[in-house]
Amino acid sequence: MKFYLLSTILLAAGTNVCGTKTTPYAPAVAATDSDSKSKSSSKSRKSAPHSYKELYDALLMEYDKQTFVVSRLREILADAQLKLQAAEPVSPPIQVNCTELCSGIGFAPGCVIAPVNAFYNTSETLCKRASPMGLGLLNSPLGGVCCQYNATEGPCELVGPGAENSCHPCSDWYTPELNGVELFLPLNREWDDTTKTCTETET
């Protein structure tokens, strides 16, 4: 019995009964964990692209993911615009400055999508502009643009420098940092430069 106990202790310490070194006892769990890490590392190395074709396929897959995110975001914003349009304007009107308006982030509950005839004698850019929420520029339900200078009623009041001139020209107030990467493509509308009219394109 004493020999058995001594042998067990020596083996656990890494020495056999003859006094030579042995491999110390290591728990099976630790060995299994190490093996799994090694296998995981091996798998990750195997899954890395080995050729231009594999790299192209990997990039294409990533592009598809990003395209899906952009598409889903467009759907969410369009749905939000319809809900915003159906909401009652708040009182007093929400205040928006020229930087916000001209960078496409100036809007309020009650703003409605401007009809195409609202762009008569304006420009192709305004006719086809999709911002701020993907369905086109916004008007007030009382008529005219959604955000107006000195508005006491309606969805939105234009305030601050440039407000008295309705922020014209908007290029003076546009800030790419606020607008960021263009999220929306131009609307599917037709612009006639001769008659200066904007019309919906039949699909």
Side-chain angles (χ1 to χ4, degrees):
M1 178 65 73
K2 289 181 180 179
F3 179 80
Y4 172 76
L5 290 173
L6 179 60
S7 298
T8 304
I9 294 169
L10 289 172
L11 284 170
T15 305
N16 64 20
V17 290
C18 298
T20 57
K21 289 288 182 180
T22 65
T23 303
Y25 170 76
V29 175
T32 303
D33 186 52
S34 175
D35 288 344
S36 64
K37 287 181 179 178
S38 176
K39 290 178 182 177
S40 175
S41 176
S42 175
K43 285 182 180 178
S44 65
R45 285 196 298 272
K46 289 180 182 178
S47 63
H50 294 295
S51 66
Y52 288 116
K53 174 67 167 59
E54 290 180 1
L55 180 60
Y56 173 79
D57 289 342
L59 289 173
L60 195 62
M61 186 178 296
E62 186 62 29
Y63 174 78
D64 287 343
K65 289 179 184 177
Q66 294 180 10
T67 302
F68 173 78
V69 171
V70 170
S71 177
R72 184 70 186 113
L73 185 57
R74 287 173 178 166
E75 291 175 4
I76 291 170
L77 288 172
D79 184 61
Q81 170 57 63
L82 296 177
K83 288 181 171 61
L84 200 72
Q85 181 170 279
E88 290 293 327
V90 298
S91 183
I94 289 177
Q95 294 186 333
V96 169
N97 61 42
C98 286
T99 298
E100 293 167 331
L101 182 73
C102 295
S103 297
I105 59 171
F107 50 86
C111 289
V112 299
I113 301 165
V116 289
N117 60 17
F119 302 106
Y120 172 70
N121 206 30
T122 57
S123 68
E124 182 176 7
T125 299
L126 294 178
C127 165
K128 297 183 177 183
R129 189 171 179 182
S131 61
M133 303 183 82
L135 299 179
L137 295 174
L138 305 176
N139 269 10
S140 167
L142 303 176
V145 296
C146 188
C147 300
Q148 301 183 21
Y149 180 60
N150 273 346
T152 56
E153 57 181 0
C156 183
E157 179 187 11
L158 203 54
V159 298
E164 66 276 10
N165 296 320
S166 299
C167 304
H168 293 308
C170 231
S171 56
D172 290 349
W173 304 99
Y174 170 79
T175 56
E177 291 77 15
L178 286 176
N179 205 29
V181 177
E182 290 294 337
L183 177 62
F184 303 111
L185 298 174
L187 293 173
N188 191 23
R189 291 172 174 174
E190 292 291 338
W191 173 257
D192 189 322
D193 205 43
T194 302
T195 60
K196 301 293 183 184
T197 54
C198 177
T199 55
E200 297 285 1
T201 302
E202 294 183 8
T203 55

